[in-house]
Amino acid sequence: MHRVLSSLLSLPIRRPQKPADLTLRACARSRPLTSEAADGGSDKKGPGKQRTPVLLSEEDIEEKHVRGWGNGGQKVNKTNSCVQLLHRPTGTVVICQDTRYLQQNRKIARKRLADKLDLLANGSESKIGVKITKLQARKHKQRQRSKKKYAAESAKDPGNGGESAGSE
């Protein structure tokens, strides 16, 4: 799960110059890509927290198929199986080359684009934002436990100078 989040966060997000361009338009042809967007964000945790559903229109997406690179040998380097999606209203770019197959990469890229737009529109209330918050809370808790453990150990044995009793 950490690898997926880091790959989503490491991809560049280009932000538009004008704040008015940040609004995600809902067109007549638009369709929600995730179940959370379809039910209007019914997973609200508090009274004032409401998620904006992300609707993705095919007219807003520019799709390119480019040659692959990296591991996989000649087959990957010869075929145009890498998908690059550009969301025109926000300038968000997603690149996907997870599999050897174009159709699978297209599906994965659209899912990632929807997740990125959800993060851009909803911030910490988005699906990825909630996961990041949980991971940060878990790491903070682990750090606190570690500090408490080693503070207790150093308080028990102050004259040892940081060395264990078994090493002589």
Side-chain angles (χ1 to χ4, degrees):
M1 177 163 69
H2 300 286
R3 191 177 306 149
V4 172
L5 288 176
S6 65
S7 68
L8 285 172
L9 295 176
S10 66
L11 295 174
I13 295 179
R14 287 195 236 151
R15 297 182 191 255
Q17 297 295 328
K18 301 175 191 171
D21 292 343
L22 275 175
T23 58
L24 301 175
R25 297 188 307 264
C27 302
R29 290 185 183 176
S30 297
R31 60 181 173 83
L33 286 184
T34 60
S35 61
E36 293 85 17
D39 63 8
S42 64
D43 58 342
K44 292 183 249 179
K45 303 224 171 150
K49 297 180 180 178
Q50 187 175 19
R51 291 182 56 203
T52 305
V54 176
L55 300 174
L56 207 52
S57 172
E58 288 297 320
E59 293 112 19
D60 293 341
I61 298 174
E62 182 180 319
E63 183 173 348
K64 291 182 188 175
H65 304 143
V66 294
R67 291 236 168 119
W69 62 87
N71 296 338
Q74 184 179 16
K75 177 67 176 173
V76 171
N77 297 330
K78 284 175 64 175
T79 59
N80 292 340
S81 61
C82 180
V83 177
Q84 180 179 355
L85 295 179
L86 168 69
H87 187 249
R88 288 187 193 115
T90 59
T92 303
V93 177
V94 173
I95 299 172
C96 179
Q97 186 192 346
D98 289 358
T99 68
R100 290 172 55 178
Y101 306 105
L102 180 67
Q103 293 303 319
Q104 287 180 355
N105 286 335
R106 289 180 73 202
K107 187 175 181 180
I108 295 168
R110 278 178 168 65
K111 175 87 171 93
R112 286 186 186 166
L113 182 62
D115 288 343
K116 277 187 132 181
L117 293 177
D118 186 31
L119 182 64
L120 187 63
N122 297 314
S124 63
E125 295 298 316
S126 68
K127 200 162 83 171
I128 296 173
V130 169
K131 286 183 183 179
I132 290 171
T133 305
K134 284 182 181 179
L135 286 173
Q136 287 174 343
R138 189 183 309 149
K139 283 187 175 185
H140 179 72
K141 194 172 182 179
Q142 286 174 349
R143 267 189 252 118
Q144 294 301 319
R145 281 188 196 141
S146 178
K147 282 182 183 178
K148 185 178 177 182
K149 175 183 173 182
Y150 290 114
E153 284 182 7
S154 65
K156 282 185 196 175
D157 199 13
N160 201 4
E163 295 180 14
S164 62
S167 64
E168 293 182 24

